[in-house]
């Protein structure tokens, strides 16, 4: 029996709402109905003297005359005022009037939330010009780069609100739209972190297919709060010009290589480059055009004299040119014919392994730095992993070849392109496996996170040494004492939770039971590489340790001289794992191979096989 009462209650609410609307509109309706009578009374005297004439337009009779014309004008004006009043009374309280601006930005018709979102984005990109008090050096940054925070939420909300007095004053919406009052909440703040940037030396870079100079730039370090404390400080109240100008102590540092040095180097390179570079080997000669060589060229500061620049050639990019134009294959065939390398390298997929890309690139750099165009001899490689080709499967898909290679062993593989995030190979990649020492990559992340969040520094103590030394021995020598001390201090659950937070959801750590997957190890490697879980300083520190770790018989041996491998191994009883970042001529990859019942030799062969199939 409850349902009818609910319906009745709903009906009553509807009727009450209708009565409320009716009571609100009733005075307006009465006012409109009274207009003719008021106008009639106002013109009654004139009406007696000026009887209106009648004009017929077809079947329609229209009254005309001066009195009726004035009445019409008064009615129109009164109606317009009434409509404006209704518009102002019923305009949403959180929305700006149509012609409104806020700090010079048009926000008409927008809600306070919409306006705040628009201004947050726009103001964060406004220029901030700062002048150093000591050197008078000017630096122009965006507000975001300068450490100025922008939050228009409160300012926009208060600016959009309309008082009752504003609403009842006729046409007030036309003249209350320009809002930049200092009485409104402040939208600008400052970051608590120091704003800093290292000095940038002038350089030569390839930009859109041409070589160009990159201007030198000063370095600086200051606190964003000092901007607003500066005695010489102004802030714009419009959307034009600098958002803020200020003079403060910026601790400016000067670059060592200046613009003139870069320009001189550019002239030297262009003179030597000419129409292209000719490569030779034996009686072979091949030319690569200047337009193909230019993307490989850059400069670095000279190690002995930081005021000078050296020419550098990207060896990976150069090798790609040699391969794509068939030069690598032709050179490899000549080397194989001379019995310098086995004939198996004189094929398209392996030709680049016969060439020493680094030495050849250095020879091109030396020629360009001389300012004189001359042929460059291709240096052939001393292949350091020939034995891996013995018995290496050659038929079928990559998956088929790995199945032949590993035989009865249990294995899982995950390979990702680190530039695009694309998965290149997945074999049992989500199978949970005892991690062995690869779990130390997650401990390394936990250590880095503690430093980056200010809980510790690299000089903090752990297991009788600094945290920096502890992480080094954990990664380079696969030491167990440091990670165990870390887990004892912070807890297995805490490190597990951190692993889950970065997407390694199948990774779990407990005393005597450390488990993960190939995909989870690839996840932490991708996070380090892309700096999504740690900043560049931290990952540079970690990658240097991974590149120098002492257990190199797995993926590093398989890749050999074809790339740089930064990895962390794990071994426990029959378990052999290797989780690596591979930087090679085919790109940068996360490569994880986990095995049970196999060998480092097979893992090296697997990494070689995967590399060749990429």
């Amino acid at each position: 029996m409850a349902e009818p009462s609910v319906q009745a209650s709903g009906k009553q609410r509807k009727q009450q709402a209708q009565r409320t609307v009716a009571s609100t509109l009733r005075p307006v309706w009465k006012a409109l109905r009274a207009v003719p009578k008021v106008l009639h009374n106002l013109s009654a005297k004139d009406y007696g003297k000026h009887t209106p004439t009648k004009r017929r337009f077809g079947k329609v009779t229209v009254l005309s005359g001066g009195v009726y014309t004035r009445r019409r004008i008064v009615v129109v004006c009164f109606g317009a005022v009434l409509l404006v009043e209704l518009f102002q009374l019923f305009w949403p309280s959180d929305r700006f009037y149509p012609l409104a601006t806020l700090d010079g930005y048009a926000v008409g018709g927008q809600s306070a939330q919409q306006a705040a979102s628009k201004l947050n984005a726009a103001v964060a990109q406004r220029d901030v010009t700062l002048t150093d008090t000591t050197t008078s050096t000017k630096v122009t940054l965006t507000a975001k780069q300068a450490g100025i925070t922008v939050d228009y939420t409160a300012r926009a909300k208060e600016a959009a609100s309309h008082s009752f007095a504003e609403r009842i004053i006729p046409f007030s919406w036309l003249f209350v739209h320009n809002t930049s009052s200092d009485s409104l909440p402040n939208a600008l703040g400052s970051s608590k972190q120091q704003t800093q940037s290292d000095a940038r030396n002038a350089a030569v870079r390839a930009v859109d297919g041409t070589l160009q100079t990159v201007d030198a730039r000063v370095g600086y370090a200051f606190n964003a709060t000092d901007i607003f404390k500066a005695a010489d400080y102004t802030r714009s109240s419009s959307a034009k010009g600098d958002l803020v100008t200020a003079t403060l102590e910026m601790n400016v540092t000067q670059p060592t290589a200046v613009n003139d040095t870069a320009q001189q180097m550019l002239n030297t390179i262009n003179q030597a480059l000419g129409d292209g570079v000719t490569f030779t080997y034996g009686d072979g000669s091949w030319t690569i055009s200047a337009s193909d060589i230019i993307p490989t060229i850059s400069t670095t500061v000279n190690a002995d004299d930081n005021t000078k620049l050296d020419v550098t050639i990207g060896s990976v990019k150069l090798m790609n040119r040699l391969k794509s134009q068939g030069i690598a294959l032709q050179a490899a065939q000549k080397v194989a014919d001379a019995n310098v390398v086995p004939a198996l390298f004189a094929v398209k997929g392996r030709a680049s392994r016969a060439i020493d890309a680094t030495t050849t690139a250095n020879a091109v750099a030396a020629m360009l730095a001389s300012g004189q165009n001359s042929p460059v001899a291709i240096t052939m490689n001393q292949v350091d992993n020939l034995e891996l080709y013995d018995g290496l499967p050659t038929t079928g898909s990559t998956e088929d070849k790995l199945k032949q290679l590993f035989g009865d062993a249990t294995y899982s593989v995950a390979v990702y392109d680190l530039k695009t995030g694309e998965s290149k190979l997945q074999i049992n990649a989500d199978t949970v496996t005892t991690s062995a020492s690869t779990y130390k990559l997650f401990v390394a992340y936990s250590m880095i996170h503690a430093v980056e969040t200010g809980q510790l520094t690299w000089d903090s103590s752990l297991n009788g040494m600094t945290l920096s030394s502890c992480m080094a021995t954990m990664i380079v020598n696969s030491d167990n004492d440091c990670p165990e001390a870390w887990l004892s201090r912070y807890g297995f659950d805490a490190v597990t939770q951190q692993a889950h937070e970065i997407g390694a959801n199948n990774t779990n750590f407990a005393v005597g039971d450390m488990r993960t997957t190939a995909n989870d190890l690839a996840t932490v490697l991708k996070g380090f590489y892309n700096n999504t879980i740690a900043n560049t300083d931290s990952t540079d520190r970690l990658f240097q340790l991974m590149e120098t770790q002492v257990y190199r018989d797995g993926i590093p041996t398989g890749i050999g001289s074809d790339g740089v491998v930064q990895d962390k191994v794990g071994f426990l009883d029959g378990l052999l794992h290797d989780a690596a970042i591979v930087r090679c001529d085919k790109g940068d990859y996360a490569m994880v191979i986990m095995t049970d019942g196999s060998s480092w030799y097979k893992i090296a062969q697997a990494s070689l096989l995967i590399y060749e199939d990429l």
Side-chain angles (χ1 to χ4, degrees), residues 204-212 266 269-270 273-274 276-277 288-298 312-314 317 321 368:
V204 176
R205 294 285 185 271
V207 180
D208 297 330
T210 62
L211 287 176
Q212 300 179 16
L266 176 60
I269 293 172
N270 283 333
L273 186 59
V277 177
I288 298 181
S289 68
S291 61
D292 283 329
I293 289 292
I294 283 174
T296 72
I297 301 173
S298 61
T312 59
I313 299 293
K317 292 180 179 179
R321 302 302 187 276
L368 295 177

Side-chain angles (χ1 to χ4, degrees), residues 104-185:
Y105 293 89
V107 292
Q110 298 178 23
S111 67
Q113 183 178 359
Q114 291 171 330
S117 178
K118 173 185 175 181
L119 268 65
N120 285 345
V123 175
Q125 296 305 313
R126 289 279 299 277
D127 283 347
V128 174
T129 297
L130 306 175
T131 303
D132 180 50
T133 54
T134 303
T135 64
S136 297
T137 301
K138 287 185 180 294
V139 176
T140 299
L141 308 170
T142 65
K144 184 176 182 180
Q145 291 171 336
I148 294 177
T149 60
V150 183
D151 186 358
Y152 264 86
T153 303
R155 188 174 179 85
K157 183 177 180 181
E158 186 166 328
S161 64
H162 319 295
S163 68
F164 182 73
E166 290 174 341
R167 289 176 178 273
I168 63 174
I169 298 173
F171 298 97
S172 65
W173 70 279
L174 291 173
F175 55 83
V176 298
H177 64 279
N178 190 357
T179 309
S180 58
S181 173
D182 291 337
S183 64
L184 294 173

